[in-house]
């Protein structure tokens, strides 16, 4: 199945969560180098936009995800704009810096990562959501992971996603939870019996 992404970290995470159950192909592997539009104002809208873009052009079953970091004290920002929070450059360092500055002096540091996966099978569309709650740290901790991982500490843990490492992140993360739902759905409901999770 095509995973509509060129983000190496995401591909590795999702492949690790799925194991041998489904062979994933990235955009690169299907020869798609287009800059796929992500101009919706919701995670659901963006995930669907990306999946539809590929389904309409390649006619193959596919799924796309969109993730946002939703911070309580900022009324849910950066949310759907997480990738471009500090500007159009998709610069994780700058994004984290901006977020730390926006939260400077604020006591409420609660936040959640939310992932929405849009799946298209034989033209039918389905959405799956995964959420992990946590807090935004005062400063970066660890160098693993990607994006906002160094400043996000999931509930029930003492360290950031970056420091906890991939094994733990892949068990409890927003993306893991959404992928588990996708997997369960494919195993139980897919009209195409070739998907077995
Ligand atoms: P995307 O649009 O789903 O690629 O993600 C939006 C933004 O959220 C990007 O800037 C990513 O760096 C960030 N992001 C997505 N997933 C994660 C994650 O698992 N950890 C930290 N940051 C993430």
């Amino acid at each position: 199945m095509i995973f509509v992404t060129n983000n190496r970290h995401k591909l590795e995470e999702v492949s690790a969560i799925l194991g041998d159950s489904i062979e994933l192909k990235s955009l690169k592997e299907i020869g798609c180098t287009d800059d796929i539009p992500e101009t919706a104002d919701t995670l659901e809208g963006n995930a669907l936009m990306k999946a539809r873009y590929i389904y309409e052009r390649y006619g193959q079953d596919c799924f796309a995800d969109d993730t946002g970091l939703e911070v309580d004290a900022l009324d849910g920002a950066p949310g759907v704009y997480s990738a471009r929070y500090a500007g159009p450059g998709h610069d994780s360092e700058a994004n984290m810096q901006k977020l730390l500055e926006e939260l400077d002096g604020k006591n409420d540091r609660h936040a959640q990562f939310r992932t929405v996966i849009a799946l298209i099978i034989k033209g039918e569309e389905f959405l799956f959501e995964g959420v992990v709650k946590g807090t935004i740290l005062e400063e970066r901790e660890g160098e693993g992971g990607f994006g906002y991982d160094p400043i996000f500490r999931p509930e029930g843990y003492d360290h950031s996603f970056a420091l906890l490492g991939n094994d733990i992140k892949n068990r409890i993360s927003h993306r893991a939870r959404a992928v588990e739902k996708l997997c369960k759905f494919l195993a139980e409901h897919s009209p195409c019996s070739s998907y077995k999770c």
Side-chain angles (χ1 to χ4, degrees):
M1 180 174 295
I2 301 169
F3 180 19
V4 185
T5 189
N6 269 327
N7 180 326
R8 184 176 53 84
H9 296 283
K10 280 190 186 181
L11 194 66
E12 282 170 8
E13 275 189 15
V14 175
S15 298
I17 296 164
L18 289 173
D20 296 334
S21 55
I22 296 176
E23 191 193 332
L24 293 183
K25 284 186 188 161
S26 66
L27 290 175
K28 195 172 155 200
E29 286 169 286
I30 61 166
C32 177
T33 53
D34 301 0
D35 194 10
I36 302 177
E38 295 183 48
T39 51
D41 56 8
T42 60
L43 298 177
E44 288 78 1
N46 271 344
L48 276 170
M49 193 177 275
K50 290 188 268 188
R52 283 176 186 155
Y53 185 96
I54 292 303
Y55 191 81
E56 282 161 12
R57 284 161 185 78
Y58 293 81
Q60 288 185 45
D61 297 345
C62 62
F63 68 91
D65 82 320
D66 204 44
T67 295
L69 177 60
E70 301 172 334
V71 180
D72 290 9
L74 303 177
D75 296 325
V80 71
Y81 305 109
S82 295
R84 298 160 271 155
Y85 193 41
H90 292 238
D91 179 340
S92 293
E93 273 306 313
N95 288 339
M96 281 192 286
Q97 190 56 38
K98 178 168 179 189
L99 185 55
L100 291 176
E101 283 167 14
E102 294 287 334
L103 286 180
D104 194 27
K106 292 203 166 41
N107 291 328
D108 180 3
R109 304 190 70 96
H110 290 98
Q112 65 177 20
F113 270 117
R114 191 163 71 89
T115 289
V116 174
I117 291 178
L119 166 74
I120 305 186
I121 293 187
K122 297 189 192 314
E124 265 200 272
E125 297 176 347
F126 306 91
L127 291 173
F128 307 92
E129 183 189 69
V131 171
V132 62
K133 291 184 182 294
T135 48
I136 304 298
L137 298 170
E138 303 269 348
E139 53 190 43
R140 293 165 184 74
E141 187 193 60
E143 293 181 355
F146 69 102
Y148 296 87
D149 279 347
I151 59 169
F152 182 84
R153 183 177 61 202
E155 226 169 47
Y157 290 82
D158 293 331
H159 296 294
S160 72
F161 263 155
L163 205 60
L164 287 171
N166 286 342
D167 285 351
I168 293 179
K169 185 180 176 194
N170 289 347
R171 280 208 308 273
I172 64 166
S173 81
H174 42 299
R175 194 166 299 102
R177 289 175 178 163
V179 170
E180 274 161 24
K181 290 181 187 171
L182 166 76
C183 224
K184 197 160 177 276
F185 175 88
L186 288 174
E188 290 175 4
H189 303 284
S190 170
C192 174
S193 59
S194 60
Y195 298 122
K196 290 191 173 59
C197 289

